[in-house]
Amino acid sequence: MLAKDEREMLDGKQGKACQKSMEILTALGEIFGAERLVPVNSVQIAGVSYHNLGDAGLEFLEDLAKDGKVRVKTMLNPAGMDLENWKDTGIPEEFAAKQVKVIEAFRNLGVTISCTCTPYLIGYNPKRGEHISWSESSAVCFSNSVIGARTNKEGGPSALAAAITGRTPFYGLHLDANRAPKVTVDVQANVRGEHEFGALALAIGKKTKEKIPFIRGVKKASLEELKSFSASFPTYSGAAMFHMEGITPNLVPVPEEKIAVTQKDVEDAIKFLNDECEVDFVSVGCPHCSMNEMERIASLLRGRKVSKETWITTSRQMKSEADKRGLIKIIEASGAKIVCDTCLAVAPLKGRFKAIATNSAKGCYYGRGSNGFKTRFMSLEDCIKEATKL
Ligand code: F3S
């Protein structure tokens, strides 16, 4: 059932871009049995890299940008390259020219060129209970599970359609009933640090599959640990959110079905992510680094030199804040590269490296899947040790 304004958009009375977008949203709504559309307060669009979009995607965007404008705050996920320093990271000129066109099309649509998977670290925080339309799986999981906002994991086109119309179909995780946990997970393991939280999420996700879990037994978790958990959990499960006792803001009934995740499960997850290999690429910052991580990295790299290609990926805004604190100078003096706007999964890196060291369980998944890398999975501190090893 469409409101008057929505019907006008579908009938083409508010321009071609609105019409196309409404067609996408109503088709999605029909598929998933949504009774209506719901207004959204912000949108985050994935599928920004030219590597994934290709010429067809670029043409689609340029066509929409002819008469389309976003109606709500809209941000971008990482693109295929650092938009300023792409030459320093070995990006081919031809690729860069296409990526610039993609970004221009988004700019013409009124989208904020944030190019980060951690918008919640740089001030784009939804409120608890707010309906949003985000696409990056780690940000979707973090906003649903840690912040308590409501979003499905949108594809690039459906998120863009939501941005242009300010609406999304009211189904899935927008509804209370679908957010209820289905299985209780007793964590019988002590985990510390981003990488161990990523491994824990993998161990849980492999057991709970598409069921939303109610997780208990995690005594405390830092922002960075939750960021890592939220990236790994949807990567290795079929669910876009979790409930964690003492963390997720909404009170929910504890499901009767119970499973346990033990120390051995976490150790097995860590083993699974570690191949036998000689590392030639180190990447930290999946999801994009917080200020706390930038500070730790700077203090570990102070006065040292890296011996292999090392990327510290973060948002441009975080880099600029870190620069004011003198951290960028220290990190860059080591030879490590602060790479903004992109990451190991969406930059065209296939064939350039053989084996990556990272503290991200999600990074291992994409390092293997998208780039054919072998992976070594370790703490942030050990990643820096690996980067500086002679
Ligand atoms: Fe972000 Fe790229 Fe990792 S989008 S979560 S840094 S794979």
Side-chain angles (χ1 to χ4, degrees):
M1 166 89 110
L2 296 182
K4 186 167 167 263
D5 188 35
E6 294 161 357
R7 169 61 55 193
E8 277 182 14
M9 290 191 223
L10 187 61
D11 290 345
K13 292 185 182 145
Q14 299 192 25
K16 240 176 85 186
C18 264
Q19 186 176 29
K20 267 194 195 171
S21 301
M22 205 36 102
E23 282 168 3
I24 293 173
L25 297 177
T26 50
L28 254 185
E30 255 173 51
I31 292 167
F32 290 103
E35 284 178 3
R36 62 183 174 91
L37 302 178
V38 64
V40 290
N41 289 350
S42 70
V43 173
Q44 194 250 5
I45 301 172
V48 181
S49 172
Y50 174 71
H51 191 51
N52 304 327
L53 281 169
D55 284 329
L58 171 57
E59 271 168 38
F60 173 76
L61 285 174
E62 286 178 332
D63 193 41
L64 269 190
K66 281 181 192 149
D67 79 330
K69 276 278 176 248
V70 300
R71 294 182 181 216
V72 293
K73 182 77 191 165
T74 303
M75 302 148 285
L76 289 184
N77 212 36
M81 63 184 196
D82 187 307
L83 298 176
E84 290 180 7
N85 296 329
W86 54 270
K87 277 193 182 145
D88 292 353
T89 50
I91 299 294
E93 208 144 317
E94 202 183 316
F95 179 93
K98 296 281 191 178
Q99 185 65 70
V100 166
K101 283 189 174 184
V102 169
I103 295 298
E104 264 328 288
F106 278 121
R107 205 187 299 281
N108 291 338
L109 281 160
V111 175
T112 303
I113 311 302
S114 52
C115 293
T116 182
C117 50
T118 55
Y120 51 87
L121 292 181
I122 53 169
Y124 302 118
N125 288 20
K127 293 194 182 68
R128 178 177 167 180
E130 194 170 278
H131 293 281
I132 58 175
S133 181
W134 286 20
S135 340
E136 157 53 34
S137 64
S138 65
V140 164
C141 190
F142 188 93
S143 53
N144 274 319
S145 316
V146 180
I147 300 175
R150 293 171 175 238
T151 177
N152 291 315
K153 192 213 157 318
E154 298 294 343
S158 62
L160 186 53
I164 288 172
T165 60
R167 312 283 201 285
T168 196
F170 193 46
Y171 75 98
L173 294 179
H174 291 282
L175 301 170
D176 280 343
N178 297 330
R179 297 173 67 85
K182 294 281 183 277
V183 54
T184 300
V185 178
D186 279 315
V187 175
Q188 297 166 5
N190 284 322
V191 284
R192 274 188 56 203
E194 298 85 14
H195 84 296
E196 288 190 5
F197 269 77
L200 174 65
L202 187 165
I204 294 175
K206 280 202 164 173
K207 290 192 181 194
T208 56
K209 302 197 167 67
E210 75 290 343
K211 289 181 184 165
I212 296 176
F214 178 80
I215 301 163
R216 56 190 188 187
V218 175
K219 293 184 188 69
K220 58 177 185 170
S222 69
L223 172 68
E224 288 71 24
E225 288 164 342
L226 290 170
K227 169 165 82 74
S228 173
F229 190 97
S230 298
S232 175
F233 180 69
T235 303
Y236 294 101
S237 75
M241 74 169 289
F242 58 86
H243 293 265
M244 194 179 278
E245 196 173 44
I247 302 283
T248 307
N250 308 316
L251 283 177
V252 285
V254 178
E256 276 177 23
E257 183 186 342
K258 288 190 178 55
I259 60 163
V261 167
T262 63
Q263 199 73 45
K264 161 116 181 26
D265 292 324
V266 176
E267 283 160 14
D268 286 348
I270 292 174
K271 267 191 213 140
F272 168 72
L273 297 173
N274 273 291
D275 296 318
E276 280 289 319
C277 54
E278 267 304 303
V279 169
D280 57 355
F281 179 41
V282 177
S283 180
V284 174
C286 170
H288 277 175
C289 281
S290 68
M291 186 58 75
N292 169 288
E293 289 167 310
M294 296 299 283
E295 280 168 354
R296 281 159 60 204
I297 293 164
S299 95
L300 291 161
L301 281 174
R302 185 188 289 275
R304 308 188 69 186
K305 291 274 177 218
V306 298
S307 56
K308 49 196 72 127
E309 182 84 0
T310 301
W311 284 19
I312 311 299
T313 48
T314 191
S315 63
R316 188 156 296 286
Q317 200 169 320
M318 191 63 73
K319 179 181 176 184
S320 145
E321 288 301 312
D323 197 23
K324 288 181 199 150
R325 300 180 189 205
L327 305 176
I328 302 302
K329 239 189 184 164
I330 299 169
I331 296 172
E332 287 184 340
S334 74
K337 294 172 182 164
I338 315 275
V339 182
C340 298
D341 314 316
T342 190
C343 76
L344 70 102
V346 291
L349 294 176
K350 201 168 186 171
R352 282 185 56 195
F353 306 104
K354 289 196 173 68
I356 183 175
T358 178
N359 61 343
S360 167
K362 176 176 178 177
C364 289
Y365 180 90
Y366 284 98
R368 285 172 174 174
S370 309
N371 294 323
F373 298 155
K374 298 241 183 247
T375 63
R376 295 287 319 281
F377 177 64
M378 55 189 80
S379 67
L380 180 147
E381 287 70 20
D382 285 343
C383 283
I384 300 301
K385 264 190 210 154
E386 180 64 48
T388 52
K389 197 168 85 182
L390 291 174

